[in-house]
Amino acid sequence: MRTIRFERQDTVGRIVLANPPYNRLDLQFSESLRQAVHDASQSDIRVLVVQAEGPHFSFGGEVREWPGKDVNWFHTFVAEVNLSYRAIEALRVPTIAAVQGVAFGGGLELALACDFIVAAEDAVFRCVEVTTGMLPIAGALQRLAERVGRGRASRFAMLGEPISGSLAGELGIATHVVPEAELAQATEALARKLALGPTKSYAATRKLLKVWSAGGVPAADATLLDITMDLFDTEDCTRGFLNTAKAFDLDIEPPEMLFNGR
């Protein structure tokens, strides 16, 4: 049975965790996720949603499979999980995680690999690794520090405190927070908005933010000119400038555009 699948509707792609109710990340997870991300990258989607079937996003790693393994196995496992999550970050389209119920451990890290997190108000995020004597193995610690600061990241990782969906929104971990009954609708609305937007501009924004994450403001400033010039001759940018110029001539607000992603 496939526990992860890629599907698409028009230009909206979806990676679905399909092992409810807990969607635990088992030994086949990283390979299956990489295949799903590969399928997404080979398609012409303009946005990707990561979502889960059942009441929970993911309880994290299937730790019951780990006892008795040696350190070489664990090294390979951690490396493969990180490769699969970084593959999501390497996509050239915006990514959204839709989180209901629990997102623990690797489930939280999967959500943090996305640009946007749409969370149910009563969702629960948690770094549970400390309860096993481990630390977050797929990037949660540094990505939390990037979003909420070192102090809060230390608190959540070292104390294993749960973070409600509402608090995640207040802290900037989640970008959108809604009642659980509205999660699917809110996610779909955001996905459709992004799918109709300037895809190449989104890709450039993601690229610049990655440079900033790695090297701070000086590195981003040094890269900004090249990234900007790559956008100038795109079809969307050309049409966008013309649309705005005409509006200025008429002394009106520029009308909303539908971009074609080129």
Side-chain angles (χ1 to χ4, degrees):
M1 181 181 69
R2 295 182 63 188
T3 58
I4 299 177
R5 67 177 184 270
F6 170 71
E7 56 191 34
R8 58 169 297 175
Q9 183 179 17
D10 300 323
T11 55
V12 177
R14 301 179 193 279
I15 288 178
V16 182
L17 307 185
N19 189 25
Y22 303 118
N23 289 304
R24 289 191 172 98
L25 314 181
D26 60 19
L27 297 181
Q28 299 301 315
F29 167 76
S30 57
E31 180 181 347
S32 299
L33 180 59
R34 281 204 308 277
Q35 182 60 55
V37 175
H38 175 77
D39 293 343
S41 70
Q42 295 299 302
S43 71
D44 60 352
I45 62 169
R46 294 171 63 182
V47 62
L48 178 70
V49 178
V50 180
Q51 62 188 65
E53 294 180 347
H56 301 292
F57 185 72
S58 173
F59 267 62
E62 180 50 278
V63 180
R64 291 174 294 187
E65 297 176 334
W66 299 5
K69 302 293 195 300
D70 63 22
V71 69
N72 292 320
W73 173 88
F74 192 63
H75 181 278
T76 300
F77 173 75
V78 172
E80 289 179 347
V81 171
N82 274 274
L83 282 173
S84 65
Y85 285 16
R86 304 296 79 81
I88 293 175
E89 294 176 338
L91 290 171
R92 295 181 60 81
V93 297
T95 53
I96 304 167
V99 178
Q100 77 279 10
V102 159
F104 284 178
L108 167 58
E109 290 173 307
L110 178 57
L112 288 170
C114 296
D115 299 310
F116 299 89
I117 297 177
V118 183
E121 291 174 337
D122 58 355
V124 182
F125 300 90
R126 188 182 178 198
C127 295
V128 294
E129 294 83 359
V130 68
T131 66
T132 66
M134 183 47 65
L135 55 68
I137 64 173
L141 183 56
Q142 51 269 41
R143 283 162 181 77
L144 281 173
E146 187 176 62
R147 296 189 185 208
V148 303
R150 177 173 176 169
R152 287 194 179 104
S154 297
R155 173 181 170 181
F156 294 136
M158 293 184 186
L159 301 180
E161 294 180 354
I163 309 165
S164 69
S166 296
L167 180 58
E170 293 173 12
L171 295 177
I173 298 170
T175 55
H176 301 72
V177 178
V178 296
E180 184 173 353
E182 300 174 15
L183 181 64
Q185 181 181 1
T187 302
E188 183 68 15
L190 177 59
R192 292 295 171 185
K193 180 178 179 64
L194 292 168
L196 295 174
T199 307
K200 289 186 178 294
S201 173
Y202 294 154
T205 298
R206 298 176 84 243
K207 182 177 181 179
L208 189 61
L209 285 172
K210 289 175 189 174
V211 173
W212 168 79
S213 293
V217 172
D221 286 347
T223 311
L224 177 61
L225 188 61
D226 289 339
I227 293 177
T228 303
M229 293 307 104
D230 288 342
L231 284 177
F232 184 78
D233 286 328
T234 62
E235 185 176 318
D236 279 343
C237 194
T238 299
R239 291 175 55 242
F241 285 156
L242 183 60
N243 181 62
T244 300
K246 288 181 177 179
F248 284 179
D249 286 341
L250 297 172
D251 198 25
I252 61 173
E253 287 286 329
E256 187 172 344
M257 279 185 53
L258 293 180
F259 296 93
N260 58 27
R262 296 191 293 272

